Protein backbone atom coordinates (compact mmCIF):
# COMPACT_ATOMS: atom_id res chain seq x y z
CA UNK A 1 0.00 0.00 0.00
CA UNK A 2 1.30 3.47 -0.86
CA UNK A 3 2.31 5.63 2.13
CA UNK A 4 0.61 8.86 3.12
CA UNK A 5 1.49 11.93 1.15
CA UNK A 6 2.22 15.37 2.54
CA UNK A 7 -0.03 18.39 2.01
CA UNK A 8 0.72 21.36 -0.25
CA UNK A 9 0.02 24.52 1.75
CA UNK A 10 0.44 27.95 0.15
CA UNK A 11 0.65 31.35 1.81
CA UNK A 12 -0.53 34.33 -0.21
CA UNK A 13 -1.64 37.82 0.70
CA UNK A 14 -0.99 41.51 0.82
CA UNK A 15 2.45 43.04 0.89
CA UNK A 16 3.95 42.83 4.43
CA UNK A 17 1.06 40.64 5.62
CA UNK A 18 3.59 38.27 7.19
CA UNK A 19 3.79 35.48 4.60
CA UNK A 20 7.52 34.86 4.98
CA UNK A 21 7.37 35.14 8.78
CA UNK A 22 4.49 32.68 9.02
CA UNK A 23 5.89 30.28 6.41
CA UNK A 24 9.05 29.88 8.50
CA UNK A 25 7.19 29.59 11.77
CA UNK A 26 4.64 27.13 10.40
CA UNK A 27 7.34 24.72 9.23
CA UNK A 28 8.98 24.87 12.69
CA UNK A 29 5.67 24.40 14.48
CA UNK A 30 4.55 21.48 12.32
CA UNK A 31 7.91 19.78 12.93
CA UNK A 32 7.60 20.34 16.68
CA UNK A 33 4.21 18.67 16.48
CA UNK A 34 5.66 15.59 14.80
CA UNK A 35 4.91 16.27 11.13
CA UNK A 36 7.47 16.08 8.37
CA UNK A 37 7.47 19.58 6.83
CA UNK A 38 9.64 21.78 4.66
CA UNK A 39 9.44 25.32 3.29
CA UNK A 40 9.72 26.71 -0.22
CA UNK A 41 9.37 30.21 -1.64
CA UNK A 42 8.61 31.77 -4.99
CA UNK A 43 10.39 33.34 -6.64
CA UNK A 44 13.19 30.92 -5.80
CA UNK A 45 15.93 33.43 -6.49
CA UNK A 46 18.89 31.00 -6.38
CA UNK A 47 18.34 29.20 -9.71
CA UNK A 48 19.49 30.62 -13.08
CA UNK A 49 15.90 31.67 -13.86
CA UNK A 50 15.51 32.98 -10.31
CA UNK A 51 18.58 35.19 -10.72
CA UNK A 52 17.03 36.82 -13.80
CA UNK A 53 13.82 37.42 -11.85
CA UNK A 54 15.69 38.84 -8.88
CA UNK A 55 17.58 41.27 -11.05
CA UNK A 56 14.27 42.38 -12.62
CA UNK A 57 12.60 42.89 -9.22
CA UNK A 58 15.58 44.89 -8.00
CA UNK A 59 15.30 47.08 -11.13
CA UNK A 60 18.79 46.08 -12.24
CA UNK A 61 17.51 44.73 -15.55
CA UNK A 62 14.50 45.40 -17.71
CA UNK A 63 12.58 42.34 -18.90
CA UNK A 64 9.57 42.56 -21.19
CA UNK A 65 6.30 42.00 -19.24
CA UNK A 66 5.14 38.77 -20.93
CA UNK A 67 8.62 37.37 -20.72
CA UNK A 68 9.01 38.02 -17.00
CA UNK A 69 5.60 36.44 -16.35
CA UNK A 70 6.74 33.29 -18.14
CA UNK A 71 10.01 33.31 -16.18
CA UNK A 72 8.09 33.40 -12.87
CA UNK A 73 6.06 30.43 -14.08
CA UNK A 74 9.16 28.56 -15.29
CA UNK A 75 10.71 29.20 -11.88
CA UNK A 76 7.82 27.20 -10.39
CA UNK A 77 7.88 24.44 -12.99
CA UNK A 78 11.58 23.83 -12.46
CA UNK A 79 10.78 22.91 -8.83
CA UNK A 80 7.86 20.58 -9.66
CA UNK A 81 9.78 17.27 -9.84
CA UNK A 82 11.24 17.96 -6.40
CA UNK A 83 7.89 19.12 -5.01
CA UNK A 84 6.13 15.95 -6.17
CA UNK A 85 8.87 13.74 -4.82
CA UNK A 86 8.71 15.42 -1.42
CA UNK A 87 4.91 15.37 -1.23
CA UNK A 88 4.80 11.70 -2.24
CA UNK A 89 7.41 10.84 0.37
CA UNK A 90 5.11 12.28 3.05
CA UNK A 91 6.61 15.75 3.50
CA UNK A 92 4.18 18.66 3.88
CA UNK A 93 5.32 21.68 1.87
CA UNK A 94 4.68 25.21 3.09
CA UNK A 95 5.07 27.55 0.12
CA UNK A 96 5.61 31.32 0.42
CA UNK A 97 3.78 32.71 -2.69
CA UNK A 98 2.77 30.58 -5.69
CA UNK A 99 0.94 30.93 -9.00
CA UNK A 100 -1.63 33.26 -7.42
CA UNK A 101 1.05 35.91 -6.91
CA UNK A 102 2.03 35.36 -10.53
CA UNK A 103 -1.48 36.01 -11.80
CA UNK A 104 -2.34 38.82 -9.36
CA UNK A 105 0.79 40.81 -10.16
CA UNK A 106 0.99 40.42 -13.95
CA UNK A 107 -2.75 40.87 -14.49
CA UNK A 108 -2.48 44.19 -12.65
CA UNK A 109 -0.40 45.49 -15.55
CA UNK A 110 -2.20 47.03 -18.50
CA UNK A 111 -3.49 44.72 -21.25
CA UNK A 112 -3.05 41.42 -19.40
CA UNK A 113 -6.10 39.18 -18.97
CA UNK A 114 -6.41 36.78 -16.05
CA UNK A 115 -6.96 34.01 -18.61
CA UNK A 116 -3.61 34.64 -20.31
CA UNK A 117 -1.84 34.95 -16.96
CA UNK A 118 -3.17 31.66 -15.59
CA UNK A 119 -2.35 29.52 -18.60
CA UNK A 120 1.39 28.89 -18.01
CA UNK A 121 0.71 27.66 -14.46
CA UNK A 122 -2.10 25.30 -15.45
CA UNK A 123 -1.25 21.80 -14.29
CA UNK A 124 1.12 22.74 -11.46
CA UNK A 125 0.59 20.72 -8.26
CA UNK A 126 -2.69 22.04 -6.85
CA UNK A 127 -2.48 23.46 -3.34
CA UNK A 128 -4.56 21.59 -0.79
CA UNK A 129 -4.90 24.78 1.23
CA UNK A 130 -4.28 28.45 0.37
CA UNK A 131 -3.95 30.69 3.40
CA UNK A 132 -4.67 34.27 2.38
CA UNK A 133 -3.16 36.62 4.96
CA UNK A 134 -5.48 39.59 4.86
CA UNK A 135 -4.17 42.99 5.96
CA UNK A 136 -5.46 46.49 5.28
CA UNK A 137 -3.12 48.94 3.51
CA UNK A 138 -3.09 51.08 6.69
CA UNK A 139 -2.00 48.17 8.89
CA UNK A 140 0.61 47.18 6.30
CA UNK A 141 1.96 50.75 6.25
CA UNK A 142 2.38 50.60 10.04
CA UNK A 143 4.79 47.70 9.52
CA UNK A 144 7.23 49.93 7.65
CA UNK A 145 7.55 51.61 4.29
CA UNK A 146 7.82 49.94 0.93
CA UNK A 147 11.16 48.59 -0.17
CA UNK A 148 12.73 49.53 -3.47
CA UNK A 149 11.58 46.62 -5.58
CA UNK A 150 9.65 47.14 -8.78
CA UNK A 151 6.10 46.40 -7.57
CA UNK A 152 6.42 48.15 -4.22
CA UNK A 153 4.14 51.13 -4.82
CA UNK A 154 0.74 51.62 -3.22
CA UNK A 155 -1.22 52.16 -6.49
CA UNK A 156 0.03 48.90 -7.89
CA UNK A 157 -0.63 47.01 -4.65
CA UNK A 158 -4.28 48.18 -4.66
CA UNK A 159 -4.74 46.64 -8.12
CA UNK A 160 -3.04 43.44 -6.96
CA UNK A 161 -5.49 43.13 -4.05
CA UNK A 162 -8.44 43.37 -6.45
CA UNK A 163 -6.98 40.56 -8.54
CA UNK A 164 -6.51 38.39 -5.47
CA UNK A 165 -10.21 38.96 -4.64
CA UNK A 166 -11.15 37.67 -8.08
CA UNK A 167 -8.90 34.64 -7.70
CA UNK A 168 -10.49 33.85 -4.32
CA UNK A 169 -13.90 33.53 -5.99
CA UNK A 170 -12.74 30.21 -7.47
CA UNK A 171 -14.50 27.70 -5.27
CA UNK A 172 -12.61 24.75 -6.74
CA UNK A 173 -9.68 25.89 -4.59
CA UNK A 174 -9.48 25.73 -0.81
CA UNK A 175 -8.94 29.39 0.11
CA UNK A 176 -8.97 30.37 3.77
CA UNK A 177 -8.97 34.02 4.76
CA UNK A 178 -6.79 34.75 7.78
CA UNK A 179 -6.81 38.02 9.75
CA UNK A 180 -3.15 38.99 9.48
CA UNK A 181 -3.54 41.96 11.85
CA UNK A 182 -3.41 39.57 14.81
CA UNK A 183 -0.14 38.96 16.65
CA UNK A 184 2.41 36.67 15.01
CA UNK A 185 1.60 33.98 17.60
CA UNK A 186 -2.17 34.21 17.11
CA UNK A 187 -1.87 33.97 13.32
CA UNK A 188 0.44 30.99 13.74
CA UNK A 189 -1.99 29.24 16.07
CA UNK A 190 -4.85 29.70 13.60
CA UNK A 191 -2.94 28.49 10.54
CA UNK A 192 -1.37 25.56 12.40
CA UNK A 193 -4.84 24.25 13.21
CA UNK A 194 -5.98 24.61 9.60
CA UNK A 195 -2.79 22.97 8.34
CA UNK A 196 -3.03 19.97 10.63
CA UNK A 197 -6.62 19.46 9.50
CA UNK A 198 -5.67 19.44 5.83
CA UNK A 199 -2.64 17.17 6.38
CA UNK A 200 -5.05 14.57 7.76
CA UNK A 201 -7.72 15.14 5.07
CA UNK A 202 -5.47 14.71 2.02
CA UNK A 203 -3.04 12.03 3.18
CA UNK A 204 -4.62 9.33 0.99
CA UNK A 205 -5.63 11.56 -1.92
CA UNK A 206 -3.73 12.01 -5.20
CA UNK A 207 -1.99 15.33 -5.82
CA UNK A 208 -4.32 17.56 -7.86
CA UNK A 209 -3.59 19.73 -10.91
CA UNK A 210 -4.05 23.47 -10.65
CA UNK A 211 -6.66 25.16 -12.91
CA UNK A 212 -7.43 22.06 -14.98
N1 LIG B 1 5.86 38.06 -7.85
C1 LIG B 1 5.39 38.12 -9.15
O1 LIG B 1 5.25 39.18 -9.72
N2 LIG B 1 5.07 36.96 -9.79
C2 LIG B 1 5.20 35.74 -9.18
O2 LIG B 1 4.90 34.71 -9.80
C3 LIG B 1 5.68 35.70 -7.82
C4 LIG B 1 6.00 36.88 -7.19
C5 LIG B 1 5.84 34.39 -7.13
C6 LIG B 1 8.53 38.96 -4.58
O3 LIG B 1 8.60 39.59 -3.40
C7 LIG B 1 7.87 39.90 -5.57
O4 LIG B 1 7.61 39.14 -6.74
C8 LIG B 1 6.53 40.38 -5.08
C9 LIG B 1 5.52 39.64 -5.94
C10 LIG B 1 6.27 39.31 -7.16
N3 LIG B 1 6.46 41.79 -5.32
N4 LIG B 1 5.97 42.63 -4.54
N5 LIG B 1 5.58 43.47 -3.93
P1 LIG B 1 8.89 38.83 -2.07
O5 LIG B 1 7.94 37.70 -1.87
O6 LIG B 1 10.34 38.55 -2.02
O7 LIG B 1 8.47 40.04 -1.12
P2 LIG B 1 8.91 40.30 0.37
O8 LIG B 1 9.99 41.27 0.37
O9 LIG B 1 9.06 38.99 1.06
O10 LIG B 1 7.65 41.05 0.94
P3 LIG B 1 6.26 40.45 1.25
O11 LIG B 1 6.21 39.05 0.76
O12 LIG B 1 5.22 41.33 0.75
O13 LIG B 1 6.19 40.46 2.84
P4 LIG B 1 5.65 39.26 3.73
O14 LIG B 1 6.48 38.06 3.49
O15 LIG B 1 4.19 39.12 3.55
O16 LIG B 1 5.88 39.81 5.20
P5 LIG B 1 7.09 39.49 6.22
O17 LIG B 1 8.37 39.72 5.54
O18 LIG B 1 6.85 38.22 6.92
O19 LIG B 1 6.77 40.64 7.29
C11 LIG B 1 6.84 42.02 6.94
C12 LIG B 1 7.13 42.86 8.21
O20 LIG B 1 6.02 42.79 9.10
C13 LIG B 1 8.34 42.35 9.01
O21 LIG B 1 8.98 43.44 9.59
C14 LIG B 1 7.70 41.48 10.09
O22 LIG B 1 8.48 41.36 11.23
C15 LIG B 1 6.41 42.22 10.36
N6 LIG B 1 5.29 41.35 10.77
C16 LIG B 1 4.96 40.12 10.27
N7 LIG B 1 3.88 39.63 10.88
C17 LIG B 1 3.49 40.56 11.79
C18 LIG B 1 2.41 40.64 12.74
N8 LIG B 1 1.49 39.67 12.86
N9 LIG B 1 2.31 41.75 13.48
C19 LIG B 1 3.21 42.77 13.36
N10 LIG B 1 4.26 42.76 12.50
C20 LIG B 1 4.39 41.68 11.72
MG1 LIG C 1 7.77 37.69 1.93
Amino acid sequence: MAGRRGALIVLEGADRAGKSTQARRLVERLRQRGHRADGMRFPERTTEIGKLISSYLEKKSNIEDHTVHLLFSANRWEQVPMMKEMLRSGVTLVVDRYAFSGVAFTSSKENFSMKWCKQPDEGLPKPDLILFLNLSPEAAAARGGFGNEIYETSDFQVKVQKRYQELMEDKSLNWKLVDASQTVDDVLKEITGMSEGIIEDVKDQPIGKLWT
Side-chain angles (χ1 to χ4, degrees), residues 15-16 18-21 45 72 76 97 102 157 182:
D15 200 56
R16 285 162 293 168
K19 299 176 292 299
S20 301
T21 305
R45 298 186 193 220
F72 273 111
R76 285 183 278 280
R97 295 191 186 272
Q157 296 286 335
Q182 304 175 84

